[in-house]
Amino acid sequence: TNQIGNRGTVTEASGFNPEQDVQKLREAMKGTGTNESAIIEVLAHRTIAQRQRIKEAYKQSVGKELADDLSSELSGNFRSVVLGLLMLAPVYDAYELKHAMKGAGTEEACLIDILASRSNEEIRTINAFYKKEYGKTLEDDVCGDTSGMFQRVLVSLLTAGRDEGDNVDEALAVQDAKEIFEAGEARWGTDEVKFLTVLCVRNRKHLLRVFDEYKKISGREIEESIKREMSGCLEEVFLAIVKCMRSKPAFFAERLYKSMKGLGTTDSVLIRIMVARAEIDMLDIKAEFQKMYSKTLYSFIKGDTSGDYRKILLELCGGE
C-alpha cells in the first residue's frame, strides 16, 4: 500500500501489530535503564501512520502518552530523533519552526529549510497546526523574529500561493529572466522585490525555464548572481528556493553534507532532514549525496555521530 512515488527508506512494516509494538516499548522502558535498541527496532521501522496507531494503543493500555514516557527515559539527540518520529509531518514541521524562534536568537536555517521546500498544501497544514498548537499564527511569530527583505520572502512563502501548475509562459519566462537580470547584475544595488516576485510566485517548470533564460542573458547561473548580489539570510533563502526548484533531493543532500563536514555537527539540521525525509525521498537524497560527494551518506553519518543517536540515524538512512 505504499503510495506511488514513495522514495523513502522507511516503509510500512508488514504484519503490523500495534499492541505487540506497545508491549515491546513497555518492556524496553521497564525497570532501571532503557533498552534503546528495542525502541530503535520498533520506531525506525514503522511509518508515521503506523506510529500513530502505536501511540493510540499505548495510551489505551497504559493511560499515558508514549511521547511523555519516552521523553523522560531518553536524552539528547537520540531523544530528539525519537520524539520527531512520533509526530505527523506537519506537526513536526510546526514544532521545529516554533523551536527555531524560541528564546534568544533564531535558527534561520530551520525557517529556510522548511518554508523553501514544502508544497502549498504542506504549508497550509503547517499553518493550521501551528495556530492550533501555539495559539499564534506562524506569520505573527515569523514577523516578530525576522526583519527586512528576509521576512518578506518568508511571509510570501507562508501564503502558500505559489502557482503549482505545469504551464510555462515562454514570453513571461524571458521577461522574468530579464527583469531579474536588470534588478541585480545589471544595476548598482539590487531590487530584491523582483527576485521575490518571480522566485516565490511562479511554478517550478516555469522557473526552470527562467533559469535557462537567465543564463543566456547574463552568462551566469542564477545561483552565482544571488551569491554576488546578496548576503546573509536573504541570500540563503533565495538560494534554497532555486535549489529546491532544481532538485529537492540535491538540496537536502547538500544540507546534510554541510551539517557534517568540518568540525562539529549541526545536529538540528541533520536530525530534521533525516526525520522529515525518511518516508519521502531519502533514497533520492542518498543517491544525490553519493553523486555530489563520492561518499555515502551512511559513511558520513557513521563517522560523525555516536551511540544510539548514530544507530537510529543509520536505520533511517537505510544501509549503505
Side-chain angles (χ1 to χ4, degrees):
T1 57
N2 270 341
Q3 66 227 83
I4 307 289
N6 178 356
R7 300 285 301 149
T9 43
V10 173
T11 53
E12 276 189 4
S14 54
F16 173 60
N17 180 333
E19 286 72 31
Q20 228 167 18
D21 285 344
V22 167
Q23 209 38 56
K24 280 185 202 157
L25 291 169
R26 287 186 68 184
E27 290 292 319
M29 292 188 275
K30 248 204 199 119
T32 44
T34 307
N35 179 357
E36 283 89 359
S37 297
I39 292 171
I40 295 170
E41 197 186 311
V42 173
L43 296 181
H45 298 278
R46 305 291 181 273
T47 58
I48 296 171
Q50 290 178 327
R51 294 184 204 119
Q52 302 315 302
R53 293 186 48 203
I54 294 171
K55 278 160 65 177
E56 283 159 27
Y58 191 92
K59 199 180 198 168
Q60 212 174 5
S61 62
V62 184
K64 285 172 79 182
E65 292 286 353
L66 175 58
D68 294 344
D69 280 356
L70 285 168
S71 188
S72 59
E73 291 280 329
L74 312 174
S75 63
N77 290 324
F78 178 61
R79 170 177 157 196
S80 299
V81 175
V82 168
L83 295 179
L85 291 175
L86 291 176
M87 296 180 203
L88 291 165
V91 177
Y92 182 56
D93 282 345
Y95 172 87
E96 284 289 293
L97 290 164
K98 180 70 182 172
H99 285 80
M101 296 184 284
K102 233 187 183 159
T106 303
E107 193 209 335
E108 286 90 1
C110 173
L111 305 183
I112 294 167
D113 274 356
I114 294 175
L115 299 180
S117 65
R118 304 305 192 249
S119 69
N120 287 345
E121 192 191 348
E122 286 168 329
I123 288 177
R124 279 193 287 272
T125 315
I126 293 165
N127 275 324
F129 268 112
Y130 195 97
K131 180 87 166 59
K132 197 176 118 201
E133 193 62 37
Y134 305 113
K136 272 178 88 177
T137 66
L138 179 50
E139 187 185 328
D140 281 345
D141 279 350
V142 164
C143 286
D145 245 56
T146 58
S147 62
M149 207 60 209
F150 177 55
Q151 179 192 96
R152 287 169 65 175
V153 173
L154 297 180
V155 168
S156 172
L157 295 172
L158 281 172
T159 63
R162 178 186 298 284
D163 169 19
E164 284 182 339
D166 277 340
N167 193 31
V168 178
D169 178 334
E170 281 300 327
L172 184 63
V174 174
Q175 191 190 325
D176 282 343
K178 216 167 97 196
E179 289 194 348
I180 290 182
F181 178 65
E182 283 163 5
E185 291 281 3
R187 58 175 290 193
W188 184 253
T190 308
D191 177 3
E192 289 116 347
V193 182
K194 275 281 181 283
F195 282 80
L196 185 160
T197 304
V198 175
L199 293 178
C200 298
V201 177
R202 309 281 192 253
N203 73 50
R204 175 167 184 264
K205 270 197 168 153
H206 180 90
L207 282 173
L208 293 176
R209 225 19 233 103
V210 173
F211 302 160
D212 286 345
E213 275 305 316
Y214 184 86
K215 194 175 181 186
K216 278 186 207 160
I217 298 168
S218 73
R220 281 200 182 91
E221 294 294 358
I222 188 158
E223 290 92 330
E224 286 311 304
S225 289
I226 290 170
K227 284 179 193 160
R228 289 161 53 102
E229 295 293 313
M230 301 176 201
S231 61
C233 302
L234 185 61
E235 174 190 337
E236 287 295 320
V237 74
F238 279 141
L239 281 177
I241 293 168
V242 170
K243 286 172 180 176
C244 284
M245 287 300 155
R246 291 201 195 269
S247 160
K248 275 186 206 180
F251 169 73
F252 288 120
E254 185 188 4
R255 278 292 209 236
L256 286 167
Y257 176 76
K258 287 185 168 163
S259 78
M260 292 183 280
K261 83 170 188 4
L263 283 173
T265 305
T266 314
D267 293 295
S268 57
V269 174
L270 175 57
I271 292 168
R272 183 167 50 247
I273 297 174
M274 295 306 293
V275 170
R277 309 312 290 187
E279 236 172 277
I280 300 173
D281 53 4
M282 190 54 68
L283 294 172
D284 298 325
I285 292 170
K286 283 164 70 174
E288 287 293 339
F289 194 97
Q290 172 106 42
K291 202 166 86 187
M292 291 159 75
Y293 306 110
S294 317
K295 289 199 173 73
T296 64
L297 175 57
Y298 189 95
S299 67
F300 249 71
I301 293 171
K302 196 174 171 185
D304 242 62
T305 56
S306 61
D308 296 306
Y309 173 46
R310 172 203 271 164
K311 270 188 210 155
I312 199 164
L313 288 182
L314 291 178
E315 292 298 316
L316 294 176
C317 179
E320 284 275 21

